[in-house]
Amino acid sequence: MPAVLALRFDPAVVVLSYLTAAFASFVALDLAQRVRTPDALVARIWWIAGSLSMGTGIWAMHFVGMLALKLPFLVGYDTAVTLLSWLAAVAVSAIALRVAAQETLTSAGLALGALSMGAGICAMHYTGMAALVLAPGIQWDWLLVAASATVATAAAAAALCIFFGLRRLPRAWARWGQLVAALVMGAAVAGMHYTGMAAAGIAESSVCLSTAGLRGDNLGGLVAGATFALLLLTLVTSGLDARGERRTNRLQQSLHAATTELHEQALRDALTGLANRQLLDDRLQHAAARGQRDGVRLALLAVNLDGFKPINDSFGLTAGDHVLRETARRLQGLARSHDTLARLGADEFVLMLEGEVGETALAQVAQRLLDALAEPMADVPGAGSQPLRLSASVGIALYDGAGPGEALVAQADSAAQSVKRAGGNGFAFFEAHMQAGVREQVELARDLRAALAGEAGGGRLALHYQPKVASEEGEVNGVEALLRWQHPLRGAVGPAHFIPIAERFGLIMPLGDWVIAESCRQLAAWREQGLQMRVAINLSVQQLRQPDALVRHFQTMLARYRIDARLLTCEITESVAMDDASATERTLQRLAELGLGLSIDDFGTGYSSLAYLRRLPVSQLKIDRSFIQDLETSADARAIVKAVIELAHALSLTVVAEGVETEGQAAVLRGKRCDKLQGFLFARPMPPDELARWAMDARDDRLRFSASVYAALDAGAGV
């Protein structure tokens, strides 16, 4: 048996091989996180790229380790066999990353993964050794070969455990844990390699037959350098991807937080921060369901302030807002943590109670509310040093477990109105004799909801349009959309009847959305007929309190029907505009940014601050019909109308007079330079098809009139 060489290794190259193994392990641990991304395509790309990068790093460690071997003759490595060993390294890496991508590491998964990876590592190493073709061939110490296979399998098992163990570390420790783990894994991989090298017996008389293959003194440094560059590029790319992923996660968290905040704002009253009608309805529905299921008692207290409007009239809007916020604070101080306190209208609050709500306890709660509100309210803006004293009318309704919970709101409000009619400053329980009106309201609310859903039992909603006529030219330059409801049993139900019910039962938002959508649809239909018309629609205070939803709906409908926003005007009554003035101003500004026209309706009947009115982005005022009716007989009415028109023109606003019914009223308004007239004198509200015919006939009449005037002028010129 020929003498065997004592194997010697270049220490510097050995260190280089270990550093290569450690760096490859560090990159592998980083790639294991990327492969777990929830995006299947991205995960597959990282798996393929990671297998190539990680496999190259492990193979380079073995190849550099083999080049560290110092032999007394010229050596080279068969190119094809060396390439085959690289493919084995890539396959091992693919197995490792695939196992690391699993959610959990089971005992069976660990055993199968470790054995597969151990076999792959051995295949890579011993295939790489086979690339060194010697004569006579290498004599193997099979005990050490078995030991190297054991080390390879143990290293693979340790690597998999480390992969999964790092997931449990806090983010601050993860990088340090990854570094330590990479050093341990590098030592394990290097240990396997040099154990395998020790198993190789090379005869002193051996001759290398593969010198024509890969060789050269600088080949090891070149392979290590190229591999380090590849691994570094992979690590940087992985880091950038991780940074982008963290940034995306932060953006998603910020978006989620913003969405949550917007959703929360949509369920809160902007002025007081209390629950709004939408949130109250939701909680009332769930509470009623609990009451029916578990027998939990439920009660509602409607709190209506007495004499709130004179506060705005006497001291201004800022004082009114202050009073409402202070009222909310006092009521909230008496509510329990699981009670719901909501603001439904300008001076209407509701307290929902669950649990022990016997009549005696409810009477005590109502009296405490009245006592809290009766405490003097100091430091009210505009009121000077004089404290204000408030009173309220409180209505109480108990849920009996039958019927819809929303009927409680109507019952409590009916009881509060009975207190108010009796002089206010007290409370009353809902009684049976009030039931008739409540039952009718509940039935109408049910049918109105069906009409909005397009169900046959709800009847039919429609928009009728009343023209606005230019006072001088007589040209129709706009219409007002007026809502009509044809009930299947009650016939025509007037807006004055069903709009308050829609507000009371939380239907005003879907009803307002329907009006906006129908107006846009009709504008598109008229456009197809060659008729361009400007449509004015009325907005409610509830719509203005949910500006995000309102603006989004306008944007959606304008885009769906390809409508120029300038063809729509939003009319807001003066009292609505002044309710929560600051929030209204912000909402109107957003609507104006869409390009919508804005108009103050029923001007002169509320309590406007002219300084505030100047800040609103409105372009039009509508004089209330109550002033128009007395124009021919009342000097005061004429003076008020003149003042309003001059004020509006001074603010560069156009003026519309509604409710014009006689030629005498129209003549007075023309004399005072009112811009537009609207009323039965010109036309009643009409369905859209009838309006289109009316507008075209009116246009033809104007054209015929103009032609006759020009003909008369020409004849006069000829004479």
Side-chain angles (χ1 to χ4, degrees), residues 565-579:
R566 292 172 296 181
L567 295 178
L568 279 177
T569 298
C570 300
E571 294 190 355
I572 304 100
T573 63
E574 185 180 11
S575 57
V576 167
M578 299 304 118
D579 179 56

Side-chain angles (χ1 to χ4, degrees), residues 76-143:
Y77 299 89
D78 184 273
T79 303
V81 178
T82 301
L83 178 61
L84 188 61
S85 69
W86 173 79
L87 290 175
V90 171
V92 169
S93 300
I95 295 171
L97 291 177
R98 177 58 69 192
V99 175
Q102 303 302 313
E103 288 298 323
T104 57
L105 181 64
T106 62
S107 299
L110 175 62
L112 181 61
L115 289 172
S116 301
M117 290 171 62
I121 292 171
C122 289
M124 172 199 65
H125 175 78
Y126 290 107
T127 302
M129 290 290 292
L132 180 63
V133 184
L134 300 175
I138 298 174
Q139 301 297 315
W140 295 103
D141 183 336
W142 295 108
L143 185 61

Side-chain angles (χ1 to χ4, degrees), residues 446-591:
R446 179 200 61 206
D447 295 341
L448 183 56
R449 189 176 286 109
L452 281 167
E455 298 172 3
R460 180 175 178 271
L461 290 169
L463 290 181
H464 286 195
Y465 301 87
Q466 186 172 32
K468 297 178 182 179
V469 178
S471 60
E472 295 298 331
E473 301 86 355
E475 181 180 355
V476 180
N477 50 19
V479 295
E480 180 180 2
L482 300 168
L483 188 57
R484 298 291 184 263
W485 182 21
Q486 189 67 27
H487 192 277
L489 299 177
R490 303 171 188 264
V493 181
H497 194 181
F498 69 79
I499 292 297
I501 291 175
E503 292 174 338
R504 182 167 296 170
F505 286 86
L507 296 173
I508 199 66
M509 280 298 293
L511 193 62
D513 287 347
W514 184 89
V515 170
I516 293 170
E518 178 62 17
S519 298
C520 291
R521 188 201 64 78
Q522 188 57 57
L523 279 171
W526 281 333
R527 181 179 60 210
E528 296 300 318
Q529 300 174 32
L531 182 65
Q532 180 165 301
M533 196 69 70
R534 188 181 189 114
V535 174
I537 58 178
N538 295 280
L539 298 183
S540 70
V541 64
Q542 283 88 344
Q543 288 174 288
L544 294 177
R545 285 180 184 167
Q546 300 186 41
D548 295 320
L550 180 63
V551 170
R552 278 197 304 271
H553 190 63
F554 267 118
Q555 290 173 325
T556 301
M557 292 301 109
L558 291 172
R560 176 178 298 175
Y561 295 106
R562 303 190 307 279
I563 300 299
D564 185 344
R566 292 172 296 181
L567 295 178
L568 279 177
T569 298
C570 300
E571 294 190 355
I572 304 100
T573 63
E574 185 180 11
S575 57
V576 167
M578 299 304 118
D579 179 56
D580 194 0
S582 299
T584 299
E585 181 182 352
R586 290 191 296 270
T587 302
L588 295 186
Q589 190 61 51
R590 292 182 63 180
L591 295 177

Side-chain angles (χ1 to χ4, degrees), residues 162-198:
I162 290 171
F163 278 154
F164 286 88
L166 286 176
R167 295 181 191 174
R168 295 191 291 270
L169 288 179
R171 181 180 293 273
W173 298 357
R175 277 298 179 188
W176 291 108
Q178 184 175 338
L179 177 61
V180 173
L183 294 175
V184 173
M185 287 174 60
V189 173
M192 178 272 157
H193 169 78
Y194 289 107
T195 302
M197 293 290 284

Side-chain angles (χ1 to χ4, degrees), residues 212-227:
L214 299 171
R215 63 187 180 84
D217 295 337
N218 297 323
L219 184 59
L222 179 63
V223 170
T227 303

Side-chain angles (χ1 to χ4, degrees), residues 288 291-293 295-298 398-404:
Q292 293 172 349
R293 183 181 65 247
V296 178
R297 300 197 71 187
L298 171 67
L398 277 163
Y399 184 58
D400 59 6

